[in-house]
Amino acid sequence: MDTKHISSAFDRDLQGAQAMLMTMAAQVETAMLRAAEALATNNLEMAETVRKNDRAIDELEEGIKIDCARILATRSPNAGDLRTVLTVMSIASNLERCGDYAKNIAKRTSVLADAHPVKDVSPALRRMQKAVVAMMGDALDAYTRRDLEIAQEVRERDREVDELYNTLFRSLLTHMMEEPQSITACMHLHFIAKNIERMGDHTTSVAEQVIYLVTGELPDEDRPKGDLTSLSSPESFGDPA
Amino acid sequence: MDALRTVTRDIDTNSTKISARGVQVHYGDTHAIKDVDVDIKERSVTAFIGPSGCGKSTFLRCINRMNDTIDICRVTGDIRIDGDDIYDRSIDPVQLRARVGMVFQKPNPFPKSIYDNVAYGPKIHGLARSRAEMDEIVERSLRRGAIWDEVKDRLHAPGTGLSGGQQQRLCIARAVATDPEVLLMDEPCSALDPIATAQIEELIDTLREKYTVVIVTHSMQQAARVSQKTAFFHLGNLVEYGDTDDIFTNPKDRRTESYISGRIG
């Protein structure tokens, strides 16, 4: 809806909450990028920055929720306005979780600095991170433009992230079996991969919120799921052959 | 999932109580209602919303032929209750209004006792054969109006001495005393405070077990709370009619969206 409310304060309230969401989104995207960069280049200073900045992200989320609660209480929004408020709250939660995962990756980066190095895993992690950061950028783009097509496309792309995760899971298991001294490092790398995979899920949820915002209906649960690792045992995946 | 939902908005029955086709209303040269088609379900609450002058009250007043009392008003088209054409020559408007009760914006009890206010309709329609039967009708009606406990000890005190909210519930009791099938409410809460409003809304929710309720309201939140179906009127047209949940979360027409979200449409 491009027309203005009769009460201009209502417009300001809605714009305020959405502006705060965009600020938060920018900070979370930065955190995701920096966490990836810090891990790839072993940059502990950058990892520390990511950890420190997470508090600001949490505070923004808090602020968004308070603003949305106030809008719900005082304006009783309907229709598109109601969906906007609900979507803003939901996306803020997704972004907050992504911020936490970035922080967790940064923490593990500092631990990994002293651990036994693991070969050949970095490029795959890097690919995964790139894919998720790009998805998040597009999901947020879909939000600002209320673009259904981009949102649906982002939702489909989560499958690639899941598949990259499956591959990483398999190769980490192989590493651990071949070189038991790499288990500590591999466990951390596995949690990092899982964090990135979860970021992908939250990004998908952002895209689904955009679909709800635009159409009024949440998409069906028929999205293809690519993460099969919960169904697997070391025997089925870990055979080095 | 559905079993976990605390609010059931389902309508028990699917049968149509009131059916309107091609209804037009003119006040002199003014075209107030333009070709309205609508089917209102039995034992449900239907809300009519829309800006002032959109025709929602005019349309409501067609359902019990209250517009007949206005000389320059002309109603054409077809309105049926249970399949009977209510504008047919053979229909007596007074009898019709016993079947289709009405509650107005401002509580308007007669300057009589509480008892006589309720007994008035049954008396002129000859619904009670004895004093005992009348007592029973009065008690039952006041109970349905959710006001019995507050007035049972002063049934012969004047109805005008009650508070605004109590007066409105008395008027609802009076409207149900003739055992109507349909209850029309024209902004029944607009003169009431929030507590009295909540009591009336609670009452409306119980009334739909027995009656088909049609309510005109300026409070969008009230429409969203009490009704299962909502009709949005604009400039004499019925713009959108559908399940209340859909109208308030995802309306199909831009004019509906503009109106319910408080925008200049």
Side-chain angles (χ1 to χ4, degrees):
Chain A
M1 276 256 124
D2 37 6
T3 48
K4 292 189 183 329
H5 287 94
I6 297 164
S7 157
S8 56
F10 191 179
D11 284 324
R12 285 198 296 276
D13 287 351
L14 279 175
Q15 281 158 9
Q18 295 190 84
M20 218 193 300
L21 183 74
M22 286 300 105
T23 308
M24 183 186 181
Q27 295 199 10
V28 170
E29 276 189 281
T30 306
M32 286 163 74
L33 275 170
R34 280 188 180 156
E37 180 71 22
L39 178 69
T41 58
N42 209 6
N43 185 338
L44 298 189
E45 213 173 306
M46 194 181 275
E48 186 53 31
T49 316
V50 172
R51 290 171 67 174
K52 274 203 191 123
N53 287 353
D54 190 53
R55 178 184 290 270
I57 293 173
D58 289 352
E59 280 167 4
L60 275 167
E61 191 217 6
E62 191 74 25
I64 290 167
K65 297 251 159 108
I66 290 170
D67 270 18
C68 286
R70 197 165 42 79
I71 294 173
L72 288 173
T74 57
R75 305 280 173 193
S76 301
N78 282 319
D81 296 333
L82 176 64
R83 298 204 302 274
T84 301
V85 176
L86 295 176
T87 303
V88 166
M89 291 176 80
S90 182
I91 293 181
S93 296
N94 290 131
L95 288 172
E96 192 274 334
R97 293 304 303 150
C98 288
D100 280 355
Y101 289 129
K103 176 180 155 190
N104 190 272
I105 292 171
K107 264 190 206 166
R108 292 180 193 279
T109 300
S110 356
V111 179
L112 277 169
D114 309 322
H116 185 90
V118 182
K119 276 182 294 173
D120 307 335
V121 177
S122 268
L125 270 180
R126 190 93 179 126
R127 260 207 307 282
M128 237 179 125
Q129 278 173 317
K130 259 193 185 148
V132 172
V133 170
M135 268 171 75
M136 182 55 99
D138 288 346
L140 293 167
D141 226 31
Y143 170 78
T144 47
R145 291 201 243 153
R146 307 290 193 262
D147 191 320
L148 188 60
E149 226 170 277
I150 300 180
Q152 274 160 341
E153 187 246 347
V154 169
R155 192 167 172 261
E156 295 300 319
R157 266 155 62 192
D158 188 44
R159 188 181 200 158
E160 294 165 30
V161 177
D162 286 349
E163 278 165 4
L164 283 167
Y165 171 69
N166 288 341
T167 313
L168 252 171
F169 181 82
R170 227 170 311 179
S171 71
L172 284 168
L173 272 181
T174 314
H175 270 293
M176 285 190 270
M177 275 186 282
E178 283 176 346
E179 283 185 278
Q181 68 270 37
S182 74
I183 286 178
T184 308
C186 281
M187 285 305 291
H188 282 296
L189 287 167
H190 169 253
F191 276 119
I192 288 173
K194 187 69 199 168
N195 284 342
I196 301 168
E197 190 269 329
R198 292 295 295 144
M199 282 177 176
D201 291 345
H202 283 284
T203 305
T204 306
S205 167
V206 171
E208 286 172 347
Q209 286 302 314
V210 175
I211 295 172
Y212 171 70
L213 177 61
V214 177
T215 66
E217 273 167 49
L218 272 173
D220 295 334
E221 244 318 303
D222 60 1
R223 187 169 58 90
K225 286 272 161 44
D227 173 10
L228 307 170
T229 55
S230 53
L231 306 171
S232 62
S233 62
E235 289 72 33
S236 61
F237 265 160
D239 193 349
Chain B
M1 190 39 199
D2 276 352
L4 293 173
R5 297 182 65 174
T6 48
V7 182
T8 55
R9 288 198 166 274
D10 298 348
I11 303 170
D12 308 337
T13 156
N14 225 355
S15 55
T16 298
K17 184 75 185 176
I18 305 163
S19 139
R21 289 290 175 275
V23 174
Q24 315 266 357
V25 179
H26 290 85
Y27 289 114
D29 294 333
T30 314
H31 198 177
I33 292 285
K34 297 165 187 162
D35 202 23
V36 167
D37 291 351
V38 70
D39 283 325
I40 292 170
K41 301 268 175 255
E42 193 172 24
R43 288 202 293 282
S44 67
V45 180
T46 301
F48 289 174
I49 59 169
S52 293
C54 68
K56 56 192 188 303
S57 291
T58 298
F59 187 73
L60 187 80
R61 293 160 61 92
C62 290
I63 301 173
N64 67 348
R65 292 182 58 174
M66 285 292 279
N67 288 326
D68 290 16
T69 59
I70 302 167
D71 281 342
I72 56 163
C73 182
R74 191 160 47 85
V75 181
T76 58
D78 193 45
I79 301 178
R80 286 168 190 274
I81 294 180
D82 289 336
D84 300 331
D85 181 359
I86 60 165
Y87 281 87
D88 192 272
R89 273 171 208 282
S90 64
I91 298 277
D92 172 4
V94 177
Q95 290 298 328
L96 173 72
R97 288 174 205 141
R99 281 175 70 195
V100 184
M102 192 155 186
V103 177
F104 299 87
Q105 183 169 358
K106 272 181 76 178
N108 54 352
F110 303 136
K112 290 166 174 284
S113 70
I114 293 167
Y115 185 98
D116 288 339
N117 260 281
V118 181
Y120 184 81
K123 208 176 283 170
I124 61 166
H125 289 285
L127 300 180
R129 275 162 302 181
S130 64
R131 177 79 193 183
E133 232 175 76
M134 186 58 90
D135 289 350
E136 210 181 290
I137 292 177
V138 169
E139 178 174 345
R140 189 176 63 221
S141 305
L142 288 168
R143 282 189 191 281
R144 281 195 194 139
I147 193 177
W148 170 252
D149 289 332
E150 291 159 61
V151 299
K152 63 182 175 198
D153 300 324
R154 45 170 169 156
L155 290 175
H156 298 286
T160 47
L162 297 169
S163 74
Q166 288 174 325
Q167 286 187 18
Q168 193 62 307
R169 279 179 285 148
L170 175 63
C171 291
I172 293 172
R174 185 178 67 189
V176 298
T178 56
D179 223 358
E181 299 148 42
V182 178
L183 258 187
L184 307 178
M185 298 183 162
D186 195 352
E187 294 187 46
C189 300
S190 60
L192 305 182
D193 72 11
I195 292 168
T197 299
Q199 286 166 333
I200 301 284
E201 287 181 7
E202 174 70 15
L203 173 59
I204 291 171
D205 209 44
T206 57
L207 288 173
R208 78 176 167 103
E209 287 166 18
K210 261 188 85 70
Y211 309 105
T212 303
V213 180
V214 186
I215 176 170
V216 164
T217 175
H218 270 144
S219 159
M220 239 92 66
Q221 294 311 311
Q222 179 168 69
R225 285 191 298 260
V226 303
S227 71
Q228 290 81 51
K229 292 270 186 184
T230 297
F232 170 61
F233 287 83
H234 186 58
L235 302 173
N237 298 299
L238 175 61
V239 173
E240 190 167 348
Y241 175 56
D243 290 343
T244 298
D245 287 353
D246 293 338
I247 299 272
F248 283 93
T249 57
N250 195 16
K252 300 285 170 282
D253 195 286
R254 284 186 75 85
R255 287 168 290 176
T256 316
E257 169 115 22
S258 284
Y259 179 68
I260 63 169
S261 56
R263 286 181 168 84
I264 300 152

